[in-house]
Amino acid sequence: MTKGVQYMLLSTFFFALMNVCVKFLSHLPPMEVVLFRSVISLALSYGMLRRANVKPWGTRKGILITRGLAGGFSLLLYYTTLQNIPLAGAVTIQYLAPIFTAVLGVYVAKEQVKPWQWVFFLLSFAGVLVIEGVDTRISWYYLLIGVGSAFLSGVAYNSVRKLSETEHPLVIVFYFPLVSLPLSLVFCLFDWVPPQPEDWIWLLLIGLLTQLGQYFMTRSYQVEKLARVAHLNYIGILYALGLGFVFFNETFHLYSYLGIALVLLGVVLNLQYSRTLRQREEAQATA
């Protein structure tokens, strides 16, 4: 495994645990959860910047703010689906984000996606459609909200890729809560539910797990091309199935598992193909 792959696998694991915490807070408005997550993440990010002696403001503020806005609205939509449909269903829809990331990467990051990689992406996307098609617990309303979240995530990830040319990874992580905090405050002025004492445990864990997931995701996109690591996000579907069953007693139709198999097949094939391409590039560079 390359460093980029290792970072992405760690990121996926921490985000899977964060999803469970969010679902335990289904009685709170989603933007209220975003608010507390942003407060914790902002404090941790600033502390890490101070410790590393890195200036927090960056140089490409327009792209940094765009990354924060796209990430903040994506998070609002994603938490909405997490709180209202089965865990694995919400995660599956969100994992369309790597496809949007790779497609947008052709135009934003000027990265080439090979024809076979498009085939593998479509295979994974077909698996997502199978899963959603047989699960009657997911309405079109929440499906569209989830797809919107995935698209905005693709915008945010491509912004990270552009920022990696000039910005320190801690600065990129710092701007996410820096922008989403005032954004969530505005929403909470109109929709606020006081957290219960036990809610603070889940809110704290959301902030900590998010910080870990964000950092390793940012590092992954900085050291590896988008098309080579974006699809690894799909591994989170396995986490969601297991955690959803253990914590929320969620089960799925047999065809849903067939869809998951298609998703994972696309992931494995794309990973193998990307490795082959990398080996060819290295051979040509040394020839």
Side-chain angles (χ1 to χ4, degrees):
M1 293 185 183
T2 65
K3 281 292 184 182
V5 171
Q6 294 175 29
Y7 289 148
M8 185 57 72
L9 290 177
L10 281 172
S11 172
T12 303
F13 175 70
F14 289 126
F15 279 129
L17 294 178
M18 182 270 295
N19 292 335
V20 173
C21 297
V22 172
K23 197 161 184 66
F24 275 122
L25 294 173
S26 296
H27 54 283
L28 296 182
M31 199 48 128
E32 190 172 329
V33 181
V34 174
L35 171 65
F36 286 108
R37 163 182 159 154
S38 299
V39 171
I40 296 171
S41 184
L42 186 66
L44 292 173
S45 297
Y46 185 72
M48 294 173 70
L49 283 166
R50 289 289 300 272
R51 184 176 180 181
N53 197 27
V54 175
K55 293 183 179 180
W57 308 118
T59 57
R60 306 171 74 178
K61 294 181 176 59
I63 302 179
L64 284 165
I65 293 174
T66 298
R67 184 264 186 275
L69 287 173
F73 280 111
S74 174
L75 201 60
L76 168 62
L77 298 179
Y78 181 42
Y79 282 5
T80 300
T81 59
L82 277 175
Q83 292 181 340
N84 290 278
I85 63 178
L87 179 65
V91 172
T92 299
I93 299 171
Q94 177 63 19
Y95 281 111
L96 292 175
I99 295 178
F100 288 120
T101 300
V103 173
L104 292 171
V106 175
Y107 305 98
V108 178
K110 307 301 179 184
E111 294 183 355
Q112 184 179 7
V113 178
K114 301 295 184 181
W116 273 110
Q117 288 179 293
W118 289 110
V119 174
F120 302 145
F121 284 147
L122 289 174
L123 182 63
S124 292
F125 185 77
V128 172
L129 293 181
V130 171
I131 296 169
E132 302 312 314
V134 298
D135 196 335
T136 57
R137 294 168 295 181
I138 302 174
S139 67
W140 277 103
Y141 175 75
Y142 289 115
L143 177 61
L144 291 176
I145 287 178
V147 171
S149 173
F151 175 80
L152 289 173
S153 291
V155 175
Y157 295 158
N158 273 279
S159 299
V160 169
R161 185 61 176 168
K162 293 292 289 184
L163 291 167
S164 67
E165 301 168 359
T166 58
E167 308 297 339
H168 192 282
L170 289 176
V171 173
I172 301 174
V173 172
F174 174 70
Y175 260 83
F176 190 1
L178 183 67
V179 174
S180 62
L181 178 57
L183 179 68
S184 57
L185 273 173
V186 173
F187 277 80
C188 288
L189 290 175
F190 302 96
D191 191 11
W192 176 262
V193 175
Q196 300 300 311
E198 63 272 16
D199 293 341
W200 294 106
I201 298 175
W202 301 117
L203 290 168
L204 178 61
L205 284 173
I206 288 171
L208 293 174
L209 293 169
T210 295
Q211 187 71 9
L212 290 169
Q214 280 285 90
Y215 176 76
F216 285 111
M217 180 203 70
T218 301
R219 292 293 292 132
S220 177
Y221 282 128
Q222 284 195 312
V223 302
E224 196 71 76
K225 289 185 177 180
L226 292 175
R228 289 179 177 171
V229 293
H231 58 280
L232 292 177
N233 282 280
Y234 285 116
I235 301 299
I237 296 175
L238 293 179
Y239 294 133
L241 282 170
L243 295 172
F245 177 77
V246 171
F247 289 103
F248 308 108
N249 198 31
E250 295 175 352
T251 57
F252 291 84
H253 192 278
L254 177 63
Y255 287 111
S256 295
Y257 296 107
L258 173 61
I260 292 169
L262 290 174
V263 171
L264 295 179
L265 179 60
V267 169
V268 172
L269 290 175
N270 204 358
L271 183 61
Q272 180 64 35
Y273 186 73
S274 297
R275 186 175 67 176
T276 302
L277 289 177
R278 183 171 61 254
Q279 291 173 343
R280 289 178 183 175
E281 291 174 359
E282 293 173 351
Q284 292 175 354
T286 57

